[in-house]
Amino acid sequence: MAFDPALLDEIRTRVPLTTVIGRRTKLVRSGRNWKACCPFHGEKTPSFYVYDDHFHCFGCGVHGDVISFVMQSEGRSFPEAVEQLANEAGLEVPRQDPRSEARAREAQSLGDVLQLVQGIWRRKLLEHEGRDGLSYLKRRGLTDATIEAFGLGWSGDGRGGLVEELRGHGVPPEALLHAGLMRVDEHGAAKGELFFSRVTFPIRDRRGRIVSFGGRTLGDGQPKYLNGPETALFSKRRTLFNLDRARQSAREPGQNLIVVEGYMDVIALHQAGFHAAVAPLGTAMGAEQIEMLWQVSPEPVLCLDGDAAGSRAALRAAETALPLLKPDRTLRFCRLPESDDPDSFVRREGPDAMRRVIEGATSLADELFSVVAAGIAQRGPEQRAGIRARLEALAAQITDRALASEFRRTLLERFFSAVRPAGRKSGDGRGRVAARGPVARTLPPDGALERLRAMTALLLRYPEHLPELELPFSSLELPADLDGIREAMLNWLAEQPHGVVLTSEGLDLWLGAHHLAEQKHALLSVGLPRLPCGPDDTAFPETGPLQRWWECYGLENLPAFRQGVMEEVRSALSDPTLTAWPEGLNARMRAMERLSRGESADEGLAEEG
């Protein structure tokens, strides 16, 4: 019974071999791989090794992939093993009929056709006909050994020579069409060779079988790079150029799995000693390709240009990866100078410089923040609010809840560090560190400390206002004792699931667990602006805690506070869908009115003092 090779490859990609084998025997890490006592023969010293897509026992010699392991360990037939693993991967196994078996036979025959074409094009490159192609490759710095290793070739002039030569091998033009080597007219009929006057790059699947070709024109023709179309053998979204070599090399010490943009980047890095480089085929990285990367390495490095296109590519890859992230698999990013790609950089600067770039790769969280929040310090409050919302939305895409919470906390720590005034570290030295820069204002000495204590105390008593006040609260310059409390409060907020009700009791438990209960008690025991005596808030007959907080905040810089409120009022007035002022804007407007009349939170502080 024959199965579609694409289905079998999809099963091998989706079902981790370590998961299946781990059900039968205990696996332990051995470098980048795993080892165990062989489940097929009794032994006390592990000699059974599991790699990314196959296993091998050096004791009894048994070896195979995930399908053969199920067959050998559970006594299942090949079709039974395929069906079991397909169900596990959420794939539908097509019913075996003459048509599906014919497709399987066609795929095998297409592979034979592509192998014949590869031999012809390799020969042409070394003949007089391919002299321009060979000269181009030499100018790009490739050695004979590299050209041979990657099987680079020359497609010829496209005047029917390939068709005629293959006809002598019994291959009809229809087979070339099905293999993706012919152009088609509007009716789907062959009308000429797809690749002509191009340097050719054989594209192999993860097992090293040729599934298609890419070609690079030497003239001004477009497109400069051309890939073969989708066929029974070839799917762009399930293929990475050079993965067959890279997955072997990535196990070697000092080799990182590197993702670059194109063929020549991969080949140049390989020649420079970076043998574990791969590239997508003219499209953005898809989910299937990222899963393939993780089968080889838990932390592949995306090496991108330093220009705007590189930033866009980084963001696309990150957004694709976020829903798939797990604690043990992520992406890292490194950037080259704006005018460089990996090919040009490694040829000009050399392998050592390239190695330093790769070793300096940043985390996925850092890359996300740098792309989304570029220039945040120069943005206005509306733009900063939008950036913060974007960062939180990105973290929310992660399906692993604990990991999503950690990402959100990390991104918001970076956010608040960037918008917070300069000159301060977090109270315990572990958290957010502000970017240095000029301080925009000087705190007035009279009453300033009391106001800062009052603002912190109000949020300790009414943490339900923390989400709305998180940004202005984080922008304050606080003394060390208040800063430590604030750091804990914001970390607590970052831990709370979306939509949960924030209570002072929950915050108290968090502060107690972080040994800050005494500091909180000391803060609440000194002068506070009319803090309520009970849950009915009778101590706030005229103003609520939100308005009182904004009054304290406005006293720090009244002109800037007034300007911000008026900008938000103008924005609200221009919104035709708004039927009532938001509560927060109401509180700021009332605070601004009281401050403008000369009534302030300082009066409340004086009364309490």
Side-chain angles (χ1 to χ4, degrees):
M1 185 177 290
F3 287 96
D4 185 347
L7 171 67
L8 302 181
D9 283 342
E10 189 76 2
I11 288 173
R12 296 180 183 109
T13 298
R14 289 201 188 186
V15 183
L17 183 57
T18 52
T19 300
V20 175
I21 294 179
R23 298 171 191 156
R24 306 279 300 184
T25 185
K26 182 180 179 181
L27 293 171
V28 295
R29 275 286 185 186
S30 178
R32 295 192 178 186
N33 306 309
W34 300 82
K35 65 180 179 180
C37 289
C38 180
F40 300 108
H41 81 283
E43 62 177 6
K44 295 182 179 180
T45 303
S47 60
F48 183 85
Y49 283 77
V50 183
Y51 306 96
D52 62 293
D53 65 346
H54 72 283
F55 62 89
H56 181 80
C57 179
F58 292 92
C60 67
V62 65
H63 63 276
D65 62 9
V66 67
I67 299 173
S68 59
F69 182 84
V70 171
M71 292 171 61
Q72 295 176 67
S73 63
E74 300 182 20
R76 296 185 180 275
S77 66
F78 181 74
E80 289 172 339
V82 169
E83 185 170 357
Q84 174 183 322
L85 293 170
N87 290 336
E88 193 170 325
L91 298 170
E92 182 178 353
V93 179
R95 293 179 59 188
Q96 292 299 305
D97 56 32
R99 287 176 298 176
S100 62
E101 294 189 6
R103 285 194 297 270
R105 288 193 298 270
E106 178 192 11
Q108 182 175 355
S109 64
L110 291 184
D112 296 335
V113 171
L114 293 171
Q115 196 63 48
L116 282 171
V117 172
Q118 166 65 359
I120 293 169
W121 285 349
R122 281 288 297 123
R123 189 192 72 235
K124 285 180 180 292
L125 180 69
L126 303 178
E127 295 176 345
H128 180 74
E129 183 180 356
R131 64 188 184 280
D132 290 342
L134 185 60
S135 176
Y136 164 78
L137 295 173
K138 293 288 188 179
R139 288 197 306 273
R140 296 292 296 264
L142 301 188
T143 65
D144 290 339
T146 299
I147 294 170
E148 175 68 27
F150 282 87
L152 307 185
W154 178 252
S155 64
D157 59 14
R159 296 176 182 173
L162 180 63
V163 174
E164 291 305 316
E165 187 160 354
L166 286 176
R167 200 187 300 274
H169 292 274
V171 178
E174 292 77 15
L176 290 175
L177 178 62
H178 295 155
L181 299 174
M182 301 291 285
R183 291 176 290 137
V184 296
D185 60 20
E186 61 273 16
H187 304 295
K191 68 171 186 177
E193 295 176 21
L194 178 63
F195 297 97
F196 56 91
S197 301
R198 289 178 182 269
V199 171
T200 59
F201 303 81
I203 300 170
R204 295 180 169 86
D205 65 10
R206 58 188 289 123
R207 293 172 170 268
R209 300 169 298 192
I210 297 178
V211 292
S212 188
F213 288 95
R216 205 271 191 201
T217 185
L218 302 186
D220 297 328
Q222 294 296 325
K224 182 182 293 184
Y225 282 95
L226 175 67
N227 292 314
E230 302 273 317
T231 69
L233 275 182
F234 177 52
S235 171
K236 289 181 183 179
R237 65 187 177 88
R238 293 192 181 99
T239 308
L240 290 166
F241 181 70
N242 198 48
L243 182 62
D244 56 315
R245 290 186 184 84
R247 66 191 184 94
Q248 302 295 331
S249 300
R251 301 191 190 104
E252 300 171 5
Q255 289 283 347
N256 295 99
L257 182 61
I258 308 166
V259 185
V260 292
E261 184 177 351
Y263 307 124
M264 290 302 298
D265 295 324
V266 168
I267 295 171
L269 288 178
H270 178 92
Q271 185 167 284
F274 302 92
H275 298 159
V278 299
L281 298 166
T283 59
M285 292 285 296
E288 292 95 336
Q289 292 167 318
I290 291 176
E291 293 279 8
M292 292 166 69
L293 293 175
W294 281 330
Q295 284 199 339
V296 178
S297 169
E299 291 188 352
V301 178
L302 274 65
C303 185
L304 304 167
D305 300 348
D307 57 9
S311 295
R312 290 192 297 271
L315 185 58
R316 284 196 302 269
E319 289 182 312
T320 302
L322 284 172
L324 310 172
L325 289 183
K326 301 293 180 186
D328 59 347
R329 62 187 200 183
T330 186
L331 299 177
R332 293 191 295 145
F333 295 81
C334 64
R335 293 294 190 90
L336 296 172
E338 185 172 343
S339 59
D340 274 313
D341 55 31
D343 176 23
S344 63
F345 184 82
V346 77
R347 282 193 287 133
R348 187 184 70 249
E349 302 294 335
D352 289 342
M354 190 73 213
R355 189 168 291 107
R356 287 193 293 271
V357 169
I358 294 169
E359 290 173 351
T362 58
S363 69
L364 175 55
D366 285 342
E367 183 67 21
L368 273 176
F369 182 84
S370 66
V371 172
V372 173
I376 189 173
Q378 287 74 46
R379 307 288 185 93
E382 300 88 355
Q383 291 81 17
R384 290 199 298 270
I387 289 171
R388 175 186 167 183
R390 176 76 170 123
L391 293 172
E392 291 187 294
L394 287 169
Q397 293 183 33
I398 301 172
T399 54
D400 184 294
R401 184 170 174 179
L403 186 58
S405 176
E406 288 298 325
F407 251 79
R408 181 181 184 275
R409 181 195 301 188
T410 298
L411 291 173
L412 289 183
E413 283 180 351
R414 291 287 307 274
F415 175 83
F416 290 121
S417 292
V419 302
R420 188 175 296 169
R424 180 181 70 74
K425 281 189 178 181
S426 66
D428 60 4
R430 296 191 307 268
R432 311 174 181 92
V433 180
R436 311 308 313 155
V439 177
R441 60 178 173 77
T442 301
L443 291 176
D446 227 6
L449 181 58
E450 289 78 3
R451 283 194 295 274
L452 295 175
R453 287 185 177 278
M455 294 162 76
T456 306
L458 281 167
L459 289 176
L460 284 170
R461 193 69 64 91
Y462 300 96
E464 64 268 23
H465 295 301
L466 258 178
E468 180 177 353
L469 299 176
E470 187 177 9
L471 180 55
F473 188 39
S474 295
S475 72
L476 295 171
E477 183 88 12
L478 297 183
D481 58 338
L482 297 182
D483 186 47
I485 288 280
R486 171 175 61 185
E487 192 78 16
M489 293 167 70
L490 296 181
N491 285 341
W492 170 74
L493 177 62
E495 286 288 327
Q496 305 311 301
H498 180 70
V500 72
V501 177
L502 305 177
T503 65
S504 58
E505 292 81 7
L507 178 56
D508 287 346
L509 290 174
W510 175 274
L511 294 175
H514 291 76
H515 311 293
L516 291 168
E518 289 187 11
Q519 289 177 255
K520 175 225 170 186
H521 178 74
L523 179 60
L524 293 178
S525 65
V526 297
L528 301 172
R530 300 175 181 173
L531 284 175
C533 301
D536 57 353
D537 288 352
T538 55
F540 279 89
E542 297 177 359
T543 65
L546 190 60
Q547 177 182 333
R548 183 61 88 187
W549 195 94
W550 282 115
E551 289 176 16
C552 292
Y553 182 85
L555 280 170
E556 295 299 305
N557 192 336
L558 184 57
F561 177 62
R562 182 183 293 115
Q563 179 182 353
V565 173
M566 295 313 298
E567 286 177 358
E568 190 168 349
V569 168
R570 285 193 291 270
S571 176
L573 288 172
S574 66
D575 184 357
T577 66
L578 194 66
T579 57
W581 296 118
E583 178 191 0
L585 179 56
N586 258 329
R588 288 192 288 280
M589 291 174 65
R590 291 194 301 268
M592 184 181 73
E593 182 182 0
R594 278 172 54 86
L595 292 173
S596 298
R597 293 202 312 262
E599 304 172 17
S600 72
D602 277 5
E603 298 171 8
L605 288 170
E607 293 170 12
E608 290 293 320

